Amino acid sequence: MFLPTPRRAVGCVALWLLFLLFPCRLPAVAADAVPPSAPSPDEPFLPLRAADGGDIPPLTEEEKLDLRCLLAVYPAVRHIAAESDGSLLLVMSDGSRVPYRSVPPAADDVKATMAAPYPPEPLRPPTPEGVAPGRVRSAALLAALYGVSQADVRSRLSTVPFLQGVVMMHWRVTKAFMGVTERLRAALQQDPSLRPWLKSDGGFAWRRIAGEPRLSAHAYGIAVDLSARRAPYWRWSRLRPHPLQQTYPSAIVRAFEDEGFIWGGKWHEYDIMHFEYRPELLCKARAGKTGGVSPVPSGDADAR
Ligand SMILES: [Zn+2]
């Protein structure tokens, strides 16, 4: 006959507490319990799992690089699920799934948002019509990383000191943005003439892109505008391209890019005041130079 000793009783209570605390996670773990694909000796490990236990579809080298960068810069992306129709999904830490490669292809899946190569400083190639690396965003990835509604995003904002003022940013971006601030402070000491370019004109703002139905990156708390009076938006100017796309201070752009932010001055539809946290694009750009996924500093401290 089983008689509960005090130690057994404590163990039973602990098990029940675990079950009560995590009842919804158990099926998700079971569904994802297919072993990841085995890495080949000459290829870095990629946590890729067939969602239905079938074959894993072939990936191009560019797709592998995209996925390695997404895993490297966003700790909330846990692994990649491959569907039998050939589509690939990013599986997030909360179990949600974000389309990376859709079948048929979608204009706003994550793969499409990473297709145009972003040129880090000192590169500033011409931006003819159709060239706007990073201007296309995946609404599904932004929602999964930063929040699904205004109230959701607002509940995750932090007030971050920025030179003379403060900026409201999403907590996943706070660390990277503080890194930018430190770099800009050092650049200002070297060159005080940068100061007029560094007036904060807003971080988080729940709004759509001017003239478009899509939500702005500001609505997720991952973007900041600087000195809007000096640094124009394409709809407010007749100049195409704008001379500032070439002459805007490189030290400022570099400070942001080094922390994972892209600059809207590198788009055909330029937004010269605008910087936005898109570390996957900088990771991909630098991997081309270094031959591997480089450690773009990640502000995404997922363990918060
Ligand atoms: Zn902006």
Side-chain angles (χ1 to χ4, degrees):
M1 183 178 164
F2 176 78
L3 287 174
T5 64
R7 186 177 290 178
R8 278 183 184 147
V10 168
C12 286
V13 168
L15 279 172
W16 272 108
L17 275 174
L18 275 173
F19 181 76
L20 289 171
L21 283 170
F22 303 107
C24 298
R25 291 181 180 269
L26 293 177
V29 170
D32 286 339
V34 181
S37 61
S40 72
D42 56 348
E43 196 172 349
F45 174 66
L46 188 62
L48 185 63
R49 303 172 187 184
D52 54 6
D55 293 334
I56 290 175
L59 273 68
T60 66
E61 290 304 310
E62 184 172 4
E63 288 171 337
K64 290 176 188 172
L65 176 57
D66 283 359
L67 294 171
R68 288 199 183 96
C69 277
L70 289 160
L71 286 156
V73 302
Y74 295 124
V77 179
R78 290 297 161 87
H79 67 265
I80 316 301
E83 300 282 355
S84 55
D85 67 355
S87 59
L88 298 169
L89 302 157
L90 309 179
V91 181
M92 312 299 287
S93 54
D94 65 358
S96 63
R97 294 173 178 230
V98 173
Y100 164 76
R101 181 174 81 186
S102 306
V103 178
D108 65 345
D109 62 22
V110 177
K111 180 180 173 180
T113 68
M114 296 180 71
Y118 179 83
E121 291 294 286
L123 303 177
R124 296 197 188 178
T127 54
E129 189 161 4
V131 173
R135 191 163 184 268
V136 179
R137 307 174 184 95
S138 159
L141 180 60
L142 291 173
L145 287 170
Y146 303 116
V148 296
S149 65
Q150 179 176 183
D152 197 7
V153 177
R154 278 188 182 280
S155 71
R156 305 192 217 179
L157 295 177
S158 297
T159 303
V160 191
F162 178 73
L163 301 178
Q164 302 302 317
V166 295
V167 178
M168 296 287 283
M169 301 291 279
H170 194 284
W171 67 257
R172 286 190 190 276
V173 178
T174 300
K175 185 177 161 195
F177 190 67
M178 289 169 70
V180 172
T181 306
E182 284 310 304
R183 290 175 189 274
L184 290 175
R185 195 168 279 131
L188 263 174
Q189 283 192 336
Q190 294 274 320
D191 182 1
S193 75
L194 296 176
R195 187 169 297 282
W197 297 100
L198 295 174
K199 175 180 170 293
S200 164
D201 278 322
F204 168 79
W206 187 260
R207 67 175 189 232
R208 303 198 178 277
I209 299 169
E212 297 185 28
R214 297 181 297 144
L215 274 176
S216 160
H218 291 273
Y220 297 96
I222 62 167
V224 65
D225 290 337
L226 297 184
S227 301
R229 282 176 179 270
R230 299 171 68 101
Y233 179 58
W234 70 289
R235 287 187 188 274
W236 306 338
S237 169
R238 292 183 181 174
L239 299 174
R240 304 279 191 282
H242 197 288
L244 275 172
Q245 289 181 274
Q246 294 301 323
T247 60
Y248 188 90
S250 184
I252 297 175
V253 181
R254 197 181 294 268
F256 276 93
E257 288 181 350
D258 284 350
E259 297 289 342
F261 288 76
I262 61 170
W263 177 44
K266 295 182 178 180
W267 302 339
H268 174 74
E269 297 88 355
Y270 54 78
D271 193 351
I272 294 170
M273 71 188 82
H274 179 88
F275 295 89
E276 168 178 340
Y277 189 66
R278 300 289 294 284
E280 72 276 25
L281 299 180
L282 288 151
C283 169
K284 186 175 181 180
R286 287 170 182 157
K289 284 186 189 169
T290 61
V293 172
S294 61
V296 173
S298 172
D300 186 352
D302 204 45
R304 178 181 148 154

